[in-house]
C-alpha cells in the first residue's frame, strides 16, 4: 500500500459543547451537516469530513489513551487555503470569531491568521504571497 496515494477522509475533533460546535461549523464555515446523533455531528469540506464528537463520548474511540482537556495546549493546526486572508478575517469577525493571531505575512510566503473552534482546536487560513526574500 502506498500512503502517498491515500487521502484524509475524516478528522475527528472533541468538544465539550456539541451544540455550540455544530453552530460554529455550520455558520462560520458554512458547512453542510451530513450526519448527527446525540454524541456527534459530521460536516463535509470538499474532500474531508469533520466529525465533531462530544469529549465525554470520546474515551472509547481513543482507549487506552486519554482524552485531553480542552486547555491542555495546542498539538495541531488545521490549515485552509483561501484567496484572501483579510476578507476571510472580516467574515470571521462578523461571526464573532476572535483571532489568535494575524493576519501576518510569514517568511515562507504565506499570509495567515489563526482562530479556535468551540472545542479549542486551532484553525488557520492561509494565502500564498511573495516570500520575504523576494522569491
Amino acid at each position: 500500500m502506498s500512503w502517498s496515494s491515500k487521502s484524509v477522509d475524516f478528522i475527528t475533533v472533541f468538544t465539550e459543547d456539541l451544540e455550540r460546535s455544530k453552530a460554529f461549523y455550520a455558520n462560520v464555515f458554512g458547512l453542510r451537516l451530513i450526519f448527527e446523533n446525540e454524541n456527534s455531528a459530521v460536516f463535509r469540506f470538499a474532500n474531508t469530513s469533520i466529525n465533531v464528537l462530544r469529549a465525554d463520548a470520546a474515551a472509547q474511540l481513543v482507549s487506552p489513551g486519554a482524552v485531553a482537556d480542552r486547555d491542555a495546549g495546542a498539538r495541531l493546526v488545521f490549515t485552509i487555503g483561501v484567496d484572501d486572508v483579510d476578507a476571510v478575517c472580516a467574515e470571521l469577525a462578523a461571526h464573532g470569531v476572535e483571532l489568535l493571531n494575524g493576519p501576518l505575512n510569514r517568511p515562507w510566503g504565506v499570509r495567515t491568521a489563526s482562530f479556535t473552534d468551540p472545542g479549542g482546536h486551532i484553525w488557520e487560513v492561509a494565502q500564498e504571497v511573495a516570500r520575504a526574500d523576494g522569491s
Side-chain angles (χ1 to χ4, degrees), residues 18-84:
L18 184 59
E19 290 306 312
R20 186 169 166 228
S21 292
K22 283 172 33 182
F24 179 90
Y25 283 88
N27 297 329
V28 174
F29 288 140
L31 297 178
R32 183 173 58 92
L33 180 68
I34 61 171
F35 172 83
E36 74 176 307
N37 63 23
E38 65 278 358
N39 292 322
S40 68
V42 179
F43 295 88
R44 185 80 179 156
F45 281 97
N47 58 355
T48 304
S49 293
I50 302 293
N51 177 31
V52 183
L53 180 63
R54 286 183 22 189
D56 60 2
Q60 67 182 0
L61 183 65
V62 300
S63 179
V67 176
D69 183 67
R70 179 194 186 286
D71 299 319
R75 300 284 300 185
L76 58 91
V77 174
F78 299 108
T79 301
I80 301 171
V82 299
D83 294 327
D84 185 341

Side-chain angles (χ1 to χ4, degrees), residues 85 89 98-104 106 112-115 122-125:
V85 164
C89 288
E98 293 183 29
L99 297 179
L100 290 174
N101 61 53
L104 302 166
R106 305 292 188 168
T112 69
S114 295
F115 55 96
I122 299 174
W123 288 84
E124 173 187 69
V125 290

